[in-house]
Amino acid sequence: MVCSSGVGFNPVVNGQRFNFELFGLYNAVMVMNDRETGSIWSHLGGEAVDGPMKGSQLEIIPLAQVTWERWLELHPDTLVLSNDTPFKEWYSDTGIGSPGLGPDFIASIVNWDDRLPHNEPVLGVTAEGVFRAYPLLVLIDSGGIINDTLADKPVVIFMDASSVFSIAFSREVNGQVLQFENVGDEGLKIVDKETGSTWNLEGQAVAGPLEGETLSFVTSFITEWYGWSAYHPQTDIYGVAPQQ
């Protein structure tokens, strides 16, 4: 997408599976319609904003926005979706955080926030109705890991700069709150300080006392600042003092 975001949803609501397609723009971000009822759904929030399903919510699920090389490391037996489809002409190459918005995009923005450059890539994180943006450049400068608290919940942010991938998880495992660090000389090697267990980017403990445990996903995805702040004008920014 132009806003550099890919968001995964469970398409089943109240036992009914929906099929989606592109509808248009709102706040310079794609909105979708479902073929079953014609309702309009947000690409960034997953909520139905108009139509018979208005007020309904799609469940956001983890989505790995990674390079093919990194994906194969995590899932060596994966299959690839063929690009030989009737929708092939819809596919295009877009760079993460590419500057510039066309006039149609700008005209659709209801909430404009200039605390960051409009095309600044951020990891948008939501917990209990609280929103926070983590600029990817800050995550890189932090060594790819940030231990934080959001809505009184302990969270950790993982960032793999080599594949422009970032995701948020809960730091609580079996009632214990963990602190994570990057111990890799190059790249990202994630361990927790409490047990020394090793974790992968998908929040799975792959070695050590906690091997086999999985961190709980916290709603999060990469997008550009203009889209995140337009949909969530009450958001704060990690490392930036709140507005007065």
Side-chain angles (χ1 to χ4, degrees):
M1 293 301 299
V2 175
C3 59
S4 303
S5 64
V7 187
F9 299 104
N10 180 347
V12 178
V13 179
N14 297 329
Q16 180 180 3
R17 181 185 178 92
F18 291 91
N19 294 279
F20 297 88
E21 58 192 4
L22 175 66
F23 179 78
L25 289 174
Y26 177 70
N27 271 328
V29 177
M30 179 191 83
V31 289
M32 314 171 287
N33 67 283
D34 69 71
R35 297 172 183 170
E36 286 72 22
T37 73
S39 298
I40 311 303
W41 303 74
S42 161
H43 156 65
L44 285 189
E47 71 274 11
V49 297
D50 198 11
M53 296 298 293
K54 184 176 180 179
S56 298
Q57 178 70 49
L58 295 170
E59 177 193 4
I60 297 179
I61 60 177
L63 185 68
Q65 187 168 296
V66 298
T67 62
W68 175 238
E69 179 183 13
R70 176 64 76 183
W71 180 260
L72 280 180
E73 291 177 5
L74 296 168
H75 304 284
D77 297 325
T78 194
L79 299 176
V80 181
L81 179 67
S82 170
N83 65 356
D84 185 15
T85 78
F87 304 99
K88 185 175 182 179
E89 68 276 9
W90 287 28
Y91 302 158
S92 61
D93 294 327
T94 57
I96 299 295
S98 298
L101 291 173
D104 291 340
F105 284 79
I106 294 175
S108 74
I109 296 178
V110 177
N111 302 301
W112 183 267
D113 191 322
D114 60 5
R115 284 180 289 167
L116 292 174
H118 75 270
N119 62 309
E120 179 90 4
V122 301
L123 180 74
V125 182
T126 305
E128 303 293 335
V130 178
F131 306 95
R132 181 165 296 158
Y134 296 80
L136 298 195
L137 290 176
V138 172
L139 290 168
I140 292 172
D141 289 343
S142 300
I145 296 177
I146 288 179
N147 296 281
D148 198 11
T149 301
L150 183 62
D152 296 323
K153 296 185 177 296
V155 298
V156 62
I157 315 299
F158 295 159
M159 167 71 187
D160 177 17
S162 68
S163 60
V164 196
F165 171 60
S166 188
I167 194 169
F169 295 105
S170 169
R171 290 193 283 122
E172 187 172 346
V173 178
N174 299 326
Q176 182 180 24
V177 176
L178 304 177
Q179 287 279 124
F180 294 87
E181 60 182 343
N182 181 10
V183 299
D185 294 329
E186 295 183 4
L188 194 63
K189 183 178 180 181
I190 305 165
V191 300
D192 68 77
K193 295 181 180 180
E194 286 70 21
T195 74
S197 298
T198 302
W199 303 75
N200 67 18
L201 284 168
E202 295 183 328
Q204 299 164 342
V206 295
L210 294 179
E211 183 176 357
E213 296 286 350
T214 300
L215 301 176
S216 298
F217 172 66
V218 175
T219 300
S220 53
F221 49 82
I222 291 175
T223 188
E224 292 181 25
W225 169 248
Y226 76 85
W228 175 257
S229 59
Y231 271 87
H232 306 298
Q234 68 273 50
T235 188
D236 63 21
I237 304 170
Y238 178 80
V240 176
Q243 291 180 321
Q244 300 299 319

